[in-house]
Amino acid sequence: KAGVTQTPRYLIKTRGQQVTLSCSPISGHRSVSWYQQTPGQGLQFLFEYFSETQRNKGNFPGRFSGRQFSNSRSEMNVSTLELGDSALYLCASSWAGGPYEQYFGPGTRLTVT
Amino acid sequence: QKEVEQDPGPLSVPEGAIVSLNCTYSNSAFQYFMWYRQYSRKGPELLMYTYSSGNKEDGRFTAQVDKSSKYISLFIRDSQPSDSATYLCAMSETGANNLFFGTGTRLTVIP
């Protein structure tokens, strides 16, 4: 089985712009979660989608949003980028539930200048 | 105070040494305890998980959970240079998929 794929792998944006990141889960997986990883804060949960519905949301501002399509692929969007949004954005997929069943992609490295 | 605390290291050991990695947490509702390994430029890879208290062994790796102390550990026996990576602990409540991570401990095993 192919693993979780994320595109693009690297991205450079300017403050104030918006960005869309994409995640393709493992075939058959219906849950996709997004995390932000920074050196200071580590990995922090952004949100989880299951069957096209947001099932859980972390403590991030409304500039961070996401969606999931009928084929389970997911996108996350960050509007009005700030310097502090520079991070590695990881998505993880799982079949249905079980926090121990999440498989992570390689991440998208976002740099905001 | 973060819900999960982990000593960031870095930790440097000679090949063959026993490595002990630890995390503490404050949320008594955590029931699932995971250890992930992350190599440079890669996403985290699940090593082991434990439900509730107890020990779990998998090859050279042993995970321990002490819920009374809110303390979890990962032991690596006969450490190898290929074990050099960042190790992340993660925890979750029952019925929730959102994981709470420690900041990670960077381990280097010297040949």
Side-chain angles (χ1 to χ4, degrees):
Chain A
K1 264 187 180 176
V4 178
T5 58
Q6 292 187 244
T7 56
R9 291 293 310 278
Y10 302 92
L11 207 49
I12 299 175
K13 290 287 188 179
T14 303
R15 264 183 306 178
Q17 289 186 315
Q18 74 165 15
V19 67
T20 299
L21 312 181
S22 180
C23 172
S24 292
I26 291 171
S27 178
H29 284 192
R30 297 188 293 166
S31 168
V32 174
S33 298
W34 288 89
Y35 292 83
Q36 180 195 66
Q37 186 175 28
T38 59
Q41 297 296 317
L43 277 101
Q44 294 182 284
F45 173 76
L46 280 156
F47 30 66
E48 181 208 2
Y49 285 86
F50 180 81
S51 293
E52 302 180 64
T53 301
Q54 187 179 88
R55 190 158 70 171
N56 205 346
K57 189 177 188 307
N59 190 26
F60 277 81
R63 300 185 297 107
F64 292 82
S65 63
R67 59 178 176 169
Q68 186 180 34
F69 302 95
S70 58
N71 61 358
S72 293
R73 189 177 71 84
S74 177
E75 290 181 346
M76 69 162 281
N77 183 276
V78 187
S79 62
T80 320
L81 284 166
E82 300 177 0
L83 294 179
D85 297 333
S86 295
L88 181 67
Y89 290 89
L90 294 155
C91 82
S93 77
S94 66
W95 178 70
Y100 50 87
E101 294 178 314
Q102 295 190 42
Y103 296 86
F104 282 83
T108 294
R109 172 74 63 185
L110 172 65
T111 302
V112 182
T113 61
Chain B
Q1 183 191 5
K2 288 177 69 70
E3 291 197 70
V4 181
E5 300 281 356
Q6 183 175 8
D7 186 340
L11 188 59
S12 186
V13 302
E15 183 175 353
I18 296 175
V19 176
S20 173
L21 304 167
N22 312 292
C23 289
T24 59
Y25 62 95
S26 57
N27 185 351
S28 57
F30 287 149
Q31 291 283 3
Y32 288 92
F33 303 91
M34 280 70 68
W35 285 96
Y36 284 84
R37 178 174 61 193
Q38 186 174 23
Y39 291 113
S40 181
R41 303 184 188 281
K42 301 278 189 180
E45 168 196 16
L46 180 66
L47 278 174
M48 301 179 70
Y49 80 90
T50 309
Y51 176 73
S52 193
S53 282
N55 296 355
K56 190 171 186 178
E57 187 174 322
D58 184 3
R60 296 185 295 111
F61 299 88
T62 299
Q64 290 184 351
V65 175
D66 181 351
K67 292 193 69 181
S68 63
S69 301
K70 296 190 177 67
Y71 187 87
I72 71 170
S73 301
L74 177 71
F75 297 95
I76 307 174
R77 291 184 298 280
D78 188 24
S79 55
Q80 302 295 309
S82 58
D83 295 329
S84 298
T86 296
Y87 289 80
L88 300 149
C89 63
M91 307 175 191
S92 180
E93 299 179 19
T94 300
N97 261 13
N98 53 313
L99 302 179
F100 292 84
F101 281 86
T103 50
T105 300
R106 180 172 291 185
L107 170 68
T108 301
V109 180
I110 302 167

